[in-house]
Amino acid sequence: MLPIWKPVLSDDITRKSFRNLMMIVWASWFFRADEQFKSATSSAMTRSNGQFNSIGLPIPVKIIGGVLDAMNEARVNAIQNVFSSISVTTSAFIRGTYGCCFECRSIMVGALQLEQHASGFLSLQPKSPYHKIPYIGVVNKMQAFKSPTWSDNKALPSKPKQKDSSPHECGHSSFASIFSHLNSSIQGLEVVKFVVPVTTTLKRKQTDK
Ligand SMILES: [Zn+2]
């Protein structure tokens, strides 16, 4: 494990709680409990360090494989979207849709690069399937990106002189605000989209008797 991810991984679920979580995924899928299934899949996908290859239970993967595949796909897509919002933001500053003046945009682009480097995003170049990278860790890091504090009271060429020396503020001067739209969790899956195999259903009915 690379040290850069240690702060992120402090939010990790333990192996035991992960097993319990996956047990809820399995049970809620088996008994078609939509709310519990949605909540458990959301929590597992949001906090997982990697792919769901098994549920850690003595249940053949092929029985619940469709659920695991969907969880893997949703998790990877969510992390991809979060990372892509960094490049979208950088592009917005460069093109001028974000930032109020040349200095503001330059400072924010530079800070964005520095914070990505500090978070390991540049050197690690995280790629799908984002092994050891939990969704919530990435979101937390981005929303904690340090925003530059600077004053533009010295009559910058592209801005008129301001009366006081208070820190610069504009609609895009805070990364916490820019990345506030990122969801703190991945939306859970709907149980109705996953069919319980016929043989499993029959066994369940026999057990019910
Ligand atoms: Zn500005």
Side-chain angles (χ1 to χ4, degrees):
M1 184 195 306
L2 291 165
I4 198 78
W5 286 104
K6 277 190 176 173
V8 170
L9 297 177
S10 63
D11 288 334
D12 284 354
I13 45 180
T14 63
R15 187 169 295 180
K16 186 181 175 186
S17 67
F18 179 78
R19 188 172 179 275
N20 291 340
L21 194 53
M22 293 310 290
M23 197 178 289
I24 297 171
V25 169
W26 174 80
S28 56
W29 164 76
F30 188 78
F31 291 105
R32 322 302 285 165
D34 190 47
E35 284 306 310
Q36 288 86 346
F37 183 78
K38 201 173 284 181
S39 169
T41 51
S42 169
S43 185
M45 292 187 293
T46 300
R47 297 153 71 192
S48 174
N49 277 330
Q51 294 284 85
F52 300 97
N53 298 318
S54 76
I55 57 174
L57 299 170
I59 298 167
V61 172
K62 64 180 180 183
I63 291 181
I64 198 171
V67 174
L68 299 184
D69 289 344
M71 289 174 72
N72 285 331
E73 185 180 354
R75 173 182 168 273
V76 164
N77 286 342
I79 296 175
Q80 261 168 359
N81 285 339
V82 168
F83 277 128
S84 73
S85 69
I86 295 179
S87 50
V88 168
T89 300
T90 304
S91 175
F93 277 116
I94 291 172
R95 291 162 53 197
T97 36
Y98 277 10
C100 59
C101 61
F102 173 79
E103 288 77 13
C104 172
R105 297 199 305 272
S106 305
I107 288 169
M108 291 302 279
V109 168
L112 206 44
Q113 289 288 310
L114 292 174
E115 287 303 284
Q116 285 184 80
H117 175 73
S119 301
F121 295 170
L122 292 182
S123 56
L124 291 178
Q125 296 190 329
K127 290 185 179 66
S128 175
Y130 303 112
H131 183 56
K132 292 189 176 176
I133 299 178
Y135 170 88
I136 188 61
V138 179
V139 170
N140 285 345
K141 272 199 176 289
M142 285 170 59
Q143 291 180 338
F145 276 2
K146 185 178 178 183
S147 301
T149 305
W150 59 286
S151 171
D152 50 1
N153 68 324
K154 291 182 180 174
L156 298 167
S158 56
K159 280 197 85 179
K161 185 173 183 177
Q162 294 189 353
K163 289 179 180 175
D164 58 39
S165 58
S166 57
H168 175 83
E169 271 186 32
C170 71
H172 300 106
S173 57
S174 157
F175 291 126
S177 169
I178 289 170
F179 295 126
S180 64
H181 69 285
L182 298 176
N183 293 324
S184 59
S185 63
I186 301 173
Q187 189 171 16
L189 306 178
E190 294 179 19
V191 76
V192 292
K193 294 182 178 173
F194 303 96
V195 178
V196 178
V198 176
T199 51
T200 311
T201 310
L202 289 173
K203 283 179 185 172
R204 180 176 60 183
K205 285 180 178 173
Q206 286 167 0
T207 309
D208 290 345
K209 287 179 183 175

